[in-house]
Amino acid sequence: MTTTSSLGLGRTLSIALAAALIGSAAAHAADDIIRMKRGTTISGTVTEETYEAVSYTSAAVEGRVRQCEVESIEWGDRSPDFIAAERARSNGEYEDAISRYERAMKVRGARKFYVESTCTYNIGLCNLQMGKLDKAEEALRKLLADHPKAKFVPHAHIALGDIQLGQGQWDKAIESYAVVGNAIDSTLGRPTFCDDLYYKAKVKMAEALVGKKEYDKAIKDLDALIREVERSNPDIALAGQRLKASALVLSGKTDDGLKIFRDIIDKSVKEMDGSVSAREIRLSTIVAQCYNGIGGALMAAGKPKEALLEYLRVVTVLGSAVGDEYPRSLIGAVQCFNALGQKDRAKELFAELKRDYANFPGVKALNVK
Amino acid sequence: MGPSVRTFPLSLRLLVQGCELRASRFILGLVIAAAAGCQSMAMTSFEWDLKFLEAISRRGYSDLADKFGQQMVAAAKDPIEKGRIALGRAAALLDSAESASGEEQLALVKKAEDALKQAVAASPETAKTVEYAEQAAILKQRQAAILAAGIAKLPDNEKEKVFKEADALFTQAENDFGQLILLRNARIDEIQHILATNNKNPRETQALEQELDDAYFQVTVVHFRIAMALYAHLELYDTRPADAKRKELLKALLDKLEQVSFEGEGTSLESYSYYYLGLVSKKEGDLAKAEESFRRVLATPRELRVPDLIRRAHFDLVDTLTKAGKFEAALNANETLIAYISQLRIGGDDETKARLYKATIYFSAAFKLKTQAGQGPLPEAARKYYDAGMEICRTFINTNPKWAGTAQDIINEWAKKIFPDSDDPTVLMAEGRVLYQDKRYLEAAAAFRKVLANPKGRESARAEAGYYLAMCYYHTERYYDAYVTGDWLGCRFDPRKYDYVEKSQFIAILSLKKQLDKTGDEFDKALYIKTRKQLGEEEFLIIEARDLAEQGQLDKALDVYRRITPKAASVYDSALYEIAQCTDMIADRELKAKHFARGVEKRAEAVKLYDAFLKWSQENPPAADRVRLRQNLECRAVYKLGRLMLDNTAESFYRAEIKRSGSDVRNLSDVIKTAAAAMLQPVHEKVPASAQEALELLDTFAVARVRKFIEMSAGIRTKYPQATDIHPYVLHLRTMALAKLDEPEAAEKELLELKEFKDSSGIADITCRVAMALDTQARKQAEDGNAAEAGKSYAKAVEHFQQVLTLDPNLAFLPEKQRFDMIYYVIMLFSQHGQAVPVDPKLALAKSFLDEFGNEAKREDELDSVRLVQAGYLIVLNKLADAMDIYEKLVKKYDAEYAKMRENDPRAPRPPRHWQAKQGLALARKVSRKYADALKDFMEIRQNVPAGGDTWWDASVDASECMVEMKQYEMLLRMLKTTFLLRPEMGGTDRRNRFVMVLGRIASDAKLPPEQADLARQARELIDQINEYVEKK
């Protein structure tokens, strides 16, 4: 008999595993197991997933491990279609990825609780990437309805919030983000979902407030957040500061905002040296956001030349590795070149936008002749 | 035979008559030398002038040769002479055309054509000669080749016309060579007829047989020329692969090459024909045949090998195997090639090229597997090959700046074929570089931008990409883009780690300056000033100073450098070093302008500044993050100091100053004091009493200075482990310095270390110096009676010289006027101690030397020495007629000389060289079984040279061998009995054994007539006596 304490402590592991292996009852989902209290008996077949889930459970100080902390488990039963779909998604081949995810969901024997939820979530993401917001929302809502305990539920709430944010539905967005950003496990006294998602949702909530033009509230919430995570989660703190800077600029305190932007850039660039690539990408993205923020502020202040230099730092140097910030900077640079009368450069960058980012918000609204 | 007024060479007559031959002093010197040489060589003036014409043309003075040729034609009275001179002029012009290009080449060919016409006009008979046919054919081939080479650049509407012209000329050339064969065959028939019908004396018969051999060989040479014409003709048709004529040409070429390989068997023509057969087969896709042909070239017997051809065949074999998809075999052949080059121990580029070619083999293999796999993912094996190729290229890019570009070209050629959308930074960098070189800056920028923005890339590559990106924008006048790129690099990457960062910041500032110049905008001005200040005012000064230095404003640059203080810690060390470097550059400028005093003074100042920098640097160690940079600077300073310390300019200058001071002691003292300071020597208080003493002091300064460099550069690789780029340069100087100090073994060690850097240039030069130092040491050891050690040193010297000749057969690293001495020196060294060098290459070296310098009349003695060596080699190779020809000429010349000497002094002895020539001639005659002539010569030598000397003994042995062949037993026994009586050691073991063998032949001659039977007994007795003497001893 396997228990949630046995694997981690090791005493009864072999006996328990052996006993469980002979058993024939249906397996518990890992998601279920990790919610069980310490010492709960797990009946049924012990799978690799069970083993992983139990070992995580045992390793936790409180005897319970939050769902997000088992995200990296190699589940071991992914079908070829699922693997191909993942690859297609990472290559940006979203249509192909969606059809493969759909096929993967139909594979007999696949764990419904895991594969179906994951595929549904990813289909939502693919649609989101393609700008098919209705379909994206549909998939995300399906996931929330069919698999309320699945791993990607908090992610889905945030993604839903992003769709609403993009459509200017500020209150709805805040509501969606709040599911994650306000969720505290009363037993543990910690966020229900993992810290990253919790704080990310907090930042997003503040972003929606900025969208609502409730700058003071947004700045207040962000100050609180920054204080909370300054040491434990510097990336979130940086994101918070960046948003605060934007809020300050938008609220008319441009100099204060620009100063924060510049501070973030200095700090991030210093941290880049020798950092691993994943961190550098994160930091570069934040830096790009700041440059774009400064560019926007300067453009709004009627300084297209100064703004251009900021946008060019993203366009010329950081490149497409910074995700959405890149097309954003291209748009900014096009506007600056237009304003400066350098039509050729404006056309050149606009052509790139039309070619590679035709559906990016703001591209269609550009007027370059 | 001295020249009469009639036969006095035109070359001298022109000079005497003060004609307007606008030759340089050098050429005039040659003319005089040539004229003087004419007297001793006893040539006719006509022959001499022709040779002179060829010689100056070969030296590249085509205009002078042409003018001279024209004047010769005008001066000649005999129509046949006129015709021959015009032909010679045409040949000279074609020689010059060979090394010219473009319009100049066309003009030279046209002149050659006119000269040929002139030859026929002067003497219609000329058109029937072999020389004419040969020059006419070459002329047409050259004309065709020039036209063919220019077709690609012509406008489309002219291409067809010129193609046809070239085509027709090639065909004419091929036909003309055919005519030449007919003429040569006619001569063969003629000789055969003479040999068959006439009763010539044996000497004439032998000469005719030799001429017949030569004539056959010349026919094969012409066949080879036809093959080469067909080869060029075929290339013309490369743009028309489906043309029926191309097929005809190809067939004709292949047949011709097969014919030459058959008829030229046992000569280098055989190897050449196989090599070209390989090239054509490779081009036509018959890779199996190409492989077979190249392998045949590589199988050439050692004595017939032409090193350059072997090397080329190796490379082409590897390429053929790669193209044939035999990758394993290609890799093996490549390893063999590397081993072959490596075994020559010559360093240089070939080995590197072969090592880099491995990448091409791997990429080809990967590409083939990819093609076989079709659209699917890249097979695992292909991936491995691809990675192996990339690894080789990456290594070259990261460690070998000289070959980095080639490695990038290879990546650009292959990686894109295998992974068209690769985002591999190495591939993108290669792509960017090529585009950048093509000045396609914006396309290049796209590639560089991807590398810079890729966080997975190596930081150094990203920094480099950033620099080039900034440059791309700078060149396209996108100054803001250039600025933000350079500025970003300064923020993101550590300038102390990557040199490109500082350069990029420089570009950022320059770009802003340009932007400001362009707009005059206040914003741009403010940004420019702000950026300058951000960099730090003093740090900016170094950029300004470098900019000035780059523009050649060295004095202004120095002023700016000197404003930098130790406060600017990040640039102060660089500034100190660059101040010395700038001063060094000023010195070079002064010397170039022939301001010697100022130049020498500035060089002395530069030496002190470099030295001061080193001292400062050692007293002020850098912060941990500047260690690499500081090591680099220090190592560079050591190298620069070495260059200055090994340079002879100061020494020559002060030597001249001393000579000018004469006996003025005060002046001498001043000169010595200045020289000591300039040569980094302690202050010299002693006043030299004479110019001689001052010169001696100067010598000691020079030696001490070199020693000082040896000392300061010792252990450079361990002292500055991070300055790897500069190590080969310092090692080069150390090798040179040690050779200069006559410490050849130490120099040899440095040379070996230097050769680890496969690409270090100047290996031939430095190897030559080491070889000379070894030879000098060998001579000293021999003088000290240490024969064994001397032998080892000689052997090493010979080995090094062989390497030099393999690396640079023409010794092009030497100034032209030194080449004569050096090649002469090598020939003499080889002839005395070069057992390791096969006779063929030694003979070839002597022959090319004589071809090149045969007219250096002032060096007649040296040339004769080489002629003697050459004749000696010819005997070894059994080319007796050639050897005899040389000896006979020399003997004749020496006899005439000796006759003159005796007119002045009837008792004058003959110089040893005369006997050497006579002995050579006698030996050649003996080997040719002309015993009577040989015996006469040997006896003459025996009777005239000091008895008991080496020459006397050799002549005695050879004479006795001739006598026994001629069965002159009685005379022989009489001579040997006397010899034994007077000198019972019989010339030492070797010669004694030969005498005993000769006696043995008498003793065992069964055909002795009864009346001479006693001679056998006498011979046996003499043998017994000799043996008894040996046993007793």
Side-chain angles (χ1 to χ4, degrees), chain B residues 271-467:
Chain B
S271 303
Y272 274 104
S273 57
Y274 277 122
Y275 177 68
Y276 280 96
L277 208 51
L279 282 188
V280 179
S281 305
K282 188 169 84 165
K283 194 167 153 188
E284 297 305 314
D286 188 349
L287 299 176
K289 190 163 185 183
E291 182 187 339
E292 187 202 329
S293 304
F294 292 132
R295 288 198 190 279
R296 290 192 79 146
V297 179
L298 296 178
T300 307
R302 193 162 180 267
E303 65 276 11
L304 289 174
R305 284 182 158 210
V306 181
D308 183 51
L309 192 66
I310 295 290
R311 188 184 54 79
R312 276 154 62 192
H314 259 305
F315 270 112
D316 281 300
L317 175 65
V318 175
D319 190 42
T320 304
L321 290 168
T322 308
K323 286 195 166 74
K326 296 178 176 178
F327 302 114
E328 286 302 320
L331 286 170
N332 288 337
N334 200 54
E335 286 305 321
T336 315
L337 167 61
I338 292 169
Y340 171 73
I341 301 166
S342 177
Q343 151 214 318
L344 298 174
R345 292 173 61 208
I346 53 175
D349 289 347
D350 278 347
E351 191 176 339
T352 315
K353 213 191 289 176
R355 287 189 190 284
L356 194 49
Y357 193 83
K358 261 172 103 171
T360 303
I361 302 174
Y362 283 129
F363 283 137
S364 308
F367 184 64
K368 188 179 178 189
L369 290 173
K370 178 194 159 75
T371 317
Q372 283 168 349
Q375 291 299 311
L378 194 68
E380 189 55 30
R383 178 86 221 187
K384 276 186 185 162
Y385 282 131
Y386 175 83
D387 289 345
M390 285 299 288
E391 188 53 36
I392 292 171
C393 291
R394 272 196 200 103
T395 309
F396 273 91
I397 290 167
N398 297 334
T399 59
N400 194 329
K402 186 177 167 189
W403 286 87
T406 314
Q408 280 171 330
D409 287 345
I410 294 173
I411 291 178
N412 213 35
E413 184 189 346
W414 288 100
K416 284 262 152 190
K417 280 189 200 166
I418 298 162
F419 287 114
D421 300 318
S422 173
D423 62 353
D424 181 331
T426 314
V427 177
L428 288 167
M429 275 306 280
E431 186 189 350
R433 286 269 205 171
V434 172
L435 291 166
Y436 186 84
Q437 275 157 16
D438 289 350
K439 297 191 173 20
R440 290 156 69 184
Y441 296 119
L442 289 179
E443 290 164 78
F448 291 132
R449 207 163 60 135
K450 283 183 197 161
V451 181
L452 172 64
N454 183 353
K456 290 178 192 163
R458 267 185 316 116
E459 291 229 324
S460 59
R462 293 176 67 193
E464 186 183 353
Y467 167 72

Side-chain angles (χ1 to χ4, degrees), chain B residues 56 343 460 464 592 634 735 923 1021:
Chain B
I56 53 176
Q343 151 214 318
S460 59
E464 186 183 353
K592 209 172 168 187
E634 282 193 26
T735 315
L923 197 63
E1021 270 180 21

Side-chain angles (χ1 to χ4, degrees), chain B residues 217 220 259-271 273:
Chain B
F217 181 71
T220 314
Q259 184 187 355
V260 177
S261 68
F262 176 73
E263 288 175 8
E265 193 182 347
T267 70
S268 56
L269 281 182
E270 185 187 3
S271 303
S273 57

